[in-house]
Amino acid sequence: MDQDKSYERAMNMALRLLAVRARSVNEIRTRLADRGVEGPVLEKVIEKLLDLNYLDDAEFAGQWTRHLALNLLYGNRRIEASLREKGIPEEIISKAISGNREELDERAALSRVLDKKIKGLKTRNLDRKQKAKLARMLAGRGFSASLIYEALRNHREDNERPAAK
């Protein structure tokens, strides 16, 4: 009887967490364990959620990657770190990133972020400090150094070309 109440309480907690947003199996397991759900009850809840298809790490990774890549314009490194933090296996991470990068590749995302941040200024008008600050911000968003420098160089060259007549 007591275990039935524990199971029901744990299932309700899990469903409330899933009502807010999709979550990975590891996230649900950790959140329930933090709230005192233990052993067989915890595993029974996870198993039931998997059976109901309320938990699916591959589906979650795809949704989460899409959100970070298209809405927040994060680089692959930041997306990968976020998914790893949520307990997603490496093979699922790489599939999710490559699947979502077909819609907006990493270079295009970096270019959009760069355009937003400098708002039409010519990169050649930025001093060394401003460029370094911009590079740090882009690195913090998960873009690689080589992509950042390439984007800064290309943006400068694009702005230096005379307008077509």
Side-chain angles (χ1 to χ4, degrees):
M1 185 76 136
D2 191 37
Q3 194 167 9
D4 289 340
K5 281 188 176 188
S6 298
Y7 171 77
E8 196 173 315
R9 186 177 135 276
M11 182 58 87
N12 286 333
M13 278 191 273
L15 292 173
R16 279 194 304 274
L17 288 168
L18 290 168
V20 174
R21 69 167 174 83
R23 295 178 192 273
S24 69
V25 172
N26 189 53
E27 282 182 293
I28 292 293
R29 181 175 277 120
T30 302
R31 296 290 292 268
L32 293 179
D34 289 347
R35 293 180 178 166
V37 179
E38 297 174 344
V41 172
L42 177 60
E43 293 310 313
K44 190 175 174 185
V45 168
I46 298 291
E47 189 177 308
K48 182 67 174 176
L49 293 171
L50 287 168
D51 288 344
L52 293 170
N53 289 324
Y54 289 174
L55 289 178
D56 180 350
D57 279 351
E59 181 68 26
F60 168 75
Q63 290 174 4
W64 192 249
T65 300
R66 181 175 170 73
H67 169 69
L68 296 178
L70 300 177
N71 298 342
L72 300 180
L73 299 173
Y74 282 171
N76 290 352
R77 288 180 175 183
R78 179 91 180 257
I79 294 168
E80 187 177 329
S82 177
L83 289 172
R84 214 179 288 122
E85 183 180 289
K86 295 182 180 313
I88 304 297
E90 289 296 322
E91 61 276 0
I92 293 176
I93 291 173
S94 59
K95 285 179 187 175
I97 290 174
S98 64
N100 280 294
R101 283 300 181 195
E102 291 173 2
E103 195 169 336
L104 178 71
D105 75 343
E106 195 174 19
R107 279 185 173 81
L110 191 147
S111 182
R112 283 187 188 175
V113 173
L114 190 59
D115 288 343
K116 281 182 181 181
K117 289 298 175 184
I118 60 177
K119 294 184 179 108
L121 294 174
K122 295 184 185 202
T123 343
R124 68 172 181 236
N125 294 339
L126 299 176
D127 65 18
R128 180 177 256 154
K129 262 185 166 177
Q130 290 170 317
K131 285 182 183 178
K133 184 177 179 181
L134 197 55
R136 282 192 305 274
M137 181 274 303
L138 292 169
R141 282 180 158 257
F143 296 104
S144 69
S146 60
L147 272 180
I148 292 168
Y149 295 124
E150 177 187 319
L152 288 172
R153 185 178 55 252
N154 289 343
H155 197 273
R156 183 184 71 230
E157 290 170 1
D158 289 346
N159 286 324
E160 289 175 353
R161 290 188 188 121
K165 294 180 182 178

